[in-house]
Amino acid sequence: MYAYLESLFADNWTLDPSIFAYQTIYRPPAYVNGLLATDWSLTTPTTLVVNIRQDVSWQNIAPANGRKLLLLM
């Protein structure tokens, strides 16, 4: 059985290294892009609110057959 995990966030590798060179573990929010997330905010120190893209679908093969991604919270 295989599983694929899509990240909500990813490094923005299009930045000029003179701006931010990604040589540290910490990533400032300004230098991170969303993959599944359109935007996010830290409303309290323990609450991260993430808005997910609405146009995400599974691949068009069985058993998912291109269905829209359904998020259950």
Side-chain angles (χ1 to χ4, degrees):
M1 179 179 196
Y2 295 98
Y4 181 78
L5 177 62
E6 176 73 28
S7 298
L8 287 175
F9 313 103
D11 294 335
N12 183 358
W13 293 104
T14 62
L15 285 176
D16 183 353
S18 65
I19 296 172
F20 188 75
Y22 293 104
Q23 295 177 350
T24 63
I25 293 174
Y26 172 72
R27 301 293 192 252
Y31 305 123
V32 178
N33 287 341
L35 295 177
L36 286 176
T38 57
D39 62 346
W40 53 90
S41 61
L42 193 61
T43 56
T44 69
T46 59
T47 305
L48 176 66
V49 176
V50 179
N51 294 319
I52 305 296
R53 290 182 16 215
Q54 296 296 312
D55 62 342
V56 177
S57 299
W58 295 100
Q59 59 188 355
N60 197 16
I61 60 173
N65 298 325
R67 287 182 298 199
K68 292 280 188 183
L69 178 66
L70 176 64
L71 297 174
L72 302 174
M73 305 275 178

